[in-house]
Amino acid sequence: MEERLTSILSSYKANRDELIPILQQVQEEFGYLPQQAMLDIAQFIGVPESQVYAVATFYAQFRFTPIGRTHVTVCRGTACHVRGAPRILEEVERQLGIKEGETTPDLEYSLETVACIGCCGLSPCIVVNAKVEAKMTPRKVAAIFAKGDETS
Amino acid sequence: MREKLNSIDHFEALQDRLVSEWDRDVPTIVIPAGTCGRAAGADELIHATQQEITSRKLDGRIRLRITGCHGLCEMEPCVLIEPEGTIYPKIDPTEMARIVEAVARGEVLEDLLSQDPETGARIQKQKDLPFLKKQVRTILGRNEMLDPMRIEDYVRSGGYSAMAKVLARGAPAAVVEDVKASGLRGRGGAGFPTGRKWELLAKQPSDGGKFLVCNADEGDPGAYMDRSVLEGNPHSIVEGMIIGAYGTGATEGVIYVRNEYPLAVEHADIALQQARELGLLGEHILGTDFCFDISLVRGAGAFVCGEETALIRSIEGKIGEPRQRPPFPVEKGIDNKPTAINNVETWANIPIIIAQGAQQFAEIGTANNSGTKVFSLVGKIRNTGLVEVPMGTTIREIVHDIGGGPAGNARIKAVQTGGPSGGCIPAEMFDLPIDYDSLVEAGSIMGSGGMIVMDEDTCMVDVARYFMNFLKDESCGKCFTCRKGTQRMYEILDDIAKGSGTLEQLDLLEELAHVVKDTAMCGLGQTAPNPVLSTLRYFRDEYVEHIRKRRCPAGVCKELITYSINENCVGCQACVRACPVGAVKGREKEQHSIDAEKCIKCGLCRNVCKFEAVDVT
């Protein structure tokens, strides 16, 4: 981990305003923010560890546990909500056997919700590993994850 | 690598060359591939088109242009054929062979055209679509003309001319005057006159530098206008900001974009690089003394960062907590330097104002609300998509004429505007002309332009609870009344939605809403009660019904509804198979029944039933 982190930090000047971009890049690299990485970032920028933790916990994007190989995000935007997002979320939870914010013990799936992905014209939507699946129904949810099982 | 342009003449020569080399008559297949387009399958269409063009050896004879979102979401994935303007909606990749063939021969495929929902007549041309007829697409209309990843496309279609015009004129104050005269008001929601904001920035001492920010932290769930502009025409934002910098003396620019919009981030980044390569951004723009550069900052997921002081803190790498104003950002913004923040759509209007003249811009719309406004028309509506209309257009025109009315059988009962800070406007008020002031009077706000249509199957208590759930999570926690007030309002709404609310709680809810409105410091808190207050104002009956009769008229609130099977049931077993908990029982060809004890009210049985045999009461 140290090597990968050092390589990321080497492209920054250690300015205070780089904190969020650094956290974002670290999360892109590791899938989450490992505790050691946050401690190292604090030292790199020269701010107390508490400030790094404060920023990381303030913003919805950052997470502190690893994500699954298949990362599922259910959109909870208003258009999605009125077109049945709560039922889509329930169905995803049922299919994967985990609740929002959790990861399956085998690290295969993780599930999150997002405020809005801006794909409101085709609501309700979910995102499976960066691919947006539009006009979801509980049946389509079942179909998507059944397909996933066959290929894995 | 592009050759850097060292003078305005140089730029104009490039533009002339691009225009003269462009043969308008070459048949072109345009495929919109914004986030929605891709979600609907645009990538597969693009792939199929490329294969067909190559295998038929039509390279050079037929062009393919991949653009951003055109806002015709309901029709995605679609294909537009130029120069005729033929539009094929909802195209399957397997149809591309026929389409490419037809384009090569100059023919139209009647069977793939869209149909008028009333008459069934085929509609060939995009401009004749009912969805587009009442729209004035000054901003959105440009998306289809260009590949957002090629600056040459933007320049060819007239891009950066407004910037060149301003630089050639050489009078920064005149830029501010133009924007003032246009009457443009900030499209982010509050509607502050843009020209006045710029005038204030221009007057600030410039010794330490000044900032311009493009607020692309489009946080209102249900709104995606800014995403489509940033994805589909990022250079219009860059050009707007360069013009703004020239007018106000700003030295640095920031585009603050939501990280939830990966494609917008990518396209904005490419646009900035290409503008720098051409010498349109950076040191000595087009060989003049004017220097200005823009950096891209990705938001990290906090609704409150749409508030300008919170956004500034976020850019500085801190937690996005708003602070007291004054001092306003225009005096003390990023790193305590003067900063003016405008929304994406505001910036996109700037090159238009300069190019067509402030006077012409001011003629569109109404007296105090000039220009067009883009709305995202979504929810329970037939034609979802992006709608750009002159200010002062009525809700009825947008919902019925453009949107084509309800999506299903249920009657439309309200539209929600302004995101979590806005409110619900009932169908009785649909003749309201939309502008900043009329919406406030009606208890909502313009916001960034989300317009979510709700029908009789939408529960207004549930909607209020939905927004309050969002707001309690997004409240930064600085002000007690907002932090606890949104939490408590959510709890009361949750009680009511679950059937355990009381009429006294309803009074408390209203009182609490007013207290939060009056005492919170920032815009988030001050407007947080709007979803509650507006639904209470127009849909109080629904609240009372939840409380008194323990009934949800829309059939949404789970605790108050039961599913049952009526005599329409033919005993097809579809619901038996669909039920995840085995609550539906019944033999083949006999009427089924639902075990209320076991039922988790997921609605799957109702979704799969083809005979309208599942009731919700």
Side-chain angles (χ1 to χ4, degrees), chain A residues 59 61 76 81 83 90 118, chain B residues 227 259 379 462 466 558:
Chain A
Y59 295 98
Q61 186 195 347
R76 303 183 87 163
H81 180 83
R83 286 179 89 139
E90 276 170 22
Chain B
R227 169 180 73 65
N259 206 32
D462 176 66
Y466 162 80
K558 271 190 168 186

Side-chain angles (χ1 to χ4, degrees), chain A residues 53-127:
Chain A
Y53 190 68
V55 168
T57 49
F58 182 84
Y59 295 98
Q61 186 195 347
F62 300 115
R63 53 180 100 81
F64 308 96
T65 48
I67 53 165
R69 280 175 284 276
T70 307
H71 184 58
V72 185
T73 314
V74 177
C75 181
R76 303 183 87 163
T78 319
C80 288
H81 180 83
V82 301
R83 286 179 89 139
R87 278 173 192 167
I88 303 299
L89 177 61
E90 276 170 22
E91 186 59 23
V92 176
E93 287 180 339
R94 198 155 43 228
Q95 288 292 334
L96 302 183
I98 46 172
K99 295 279 173 202
E100 172 198 349
E102 294 178 351
T103 303
T104 54
D106 60 359
L107 288 185
E108 190 50 49
Y109 290 103
S110 49
L111 175 60
E112 275 180 357
T113 59
V114 63
C116 182
I117 57 161
C119 199
C120 321
L122 300 172
S123 61
C125 298
I126 68 171
V127 188

Side-chain angles (χ1 to χ4, degrees), chain B residues 497-532:
Chain B
K498 285 180 172 158
S500 53
T502 61
L503 287 174
E504 291 73 43
Q505 270 186 318
L506 207 55
D507 296 333
L508 178 64
L509 181 65
E510 206 159 5
E511 188 186 341
L512 196 53
H514 286 292
V515 170
V516 174
K517 199 180 178 95
D518 292 342
T519 55
M521 185 193 71
C522 85
L524 184 147
Q526 288 161 9
T527 58
N530 280 355
V532 170

Side-chain angles (χ1 to χ4, degrees), chain B residues 255-327:
Chain B
I255 298 177
Y256 184 89
V257 55
R258 293 181 83 203
N259 206 32
E260 289 88 341
Y261 289 172
L263 202 61
V265 172
E266 185 190 333
H267 287 187
D269 196 31
I270 293 171
L272 291 174
Q273 283 174 33
Q274 295 184 345
R276 269 183 222 117
E277 280 175 29
L278 274 189
L280 303 174
L281 201 59
E283 298 288 315
H284 300 286
I285 292 172
L286 291 183
T288 63
D289 290 337
F290 169 51
C291 309
F292 177 69
D293 207 342
I294 301 173
S295 54
L296 195 65
V297 174
R298 290 184 294 160
F303 176 66
V304 71
C305 288
E307 200 278 343
E308 54 182 18
T309 60
L311 184 145
I312 287 168
R313 289 216 166 140
S314 179
I315 290 174
E316 292 169 344
K318 300 170 186 160
I319 61 172
E321 215 173 54
R323 63 156 174 80
Q324 194 71 260
R325 298 178 302 180

